[in-house]
Amino acid sequence: PILMGLAQNGVRIYGIAWKDTHENASAYLQKHGNPYQASGVDTFGQMTLLLGLSGVPETLVVDAGGIVRWKFAGPLTADIVERELTPLLA
């Protein structure tokens, strides 16, 4: 629901299904909604290693120049979005 709300407010969200299959990821998004501009599957965890991710879920804010401006490990909550993410996006 948090990601769906962000997407509805114009935030571009990209996702990586970590150590999953395309079929499982697609089924999940069809059932729960799809907030992503684009998403991919990292079946073997190689991309997440390149991004320096340590687990799931993790959220990165990347600016137009490709620089990571914010990283958050853990599930996003309304409080985190309000206190940290929304001011950064502004």
Side-chain angles (χ1 to χ4, degrees):
I2 297 289
L3 295 179
M4 293 297 288
L6 288 168
Q8 289 170 353
N9 286 317
V11 176
R12 291 182 299 174
I13 302 172
Y14 299 86
I16 300 172
W18 183 66
K19 293 188 176 181
D20 207 341
T21 66
H22 177 74
E23 293 78 18
N24 287 345
S26 292
Y28 181 89
L29 293 174
Q30 286 179 355
K31 181 177 180 179
H32 297 284
N34 185 352
Y36 302 110
Q37 290 276 336
S39 60
V41 177
D42 186 16
T43 304
F44 301 107
Q46 295 172 334
M47 178 57 75
T48 50
L49 287 175
L50 291 172
L51 291 171
L53 303 178
S54 58
V56 292
E58 287 195 45
T59 302
L60 304 173
V61 173
V62 181
D63 71 13
I67 297 171
V68 175
R69 298 294 180 177
W70 186 71
K71 181 177 177 182
F72 181 78
L76 289 179
T77 64
D79 183 56
I80 300 238
V81 169
E82 183 179 330
R83 274 188 304 113
E84 297 184 37
L85 188 54
T86 299
L88 180 65
L89 296 174

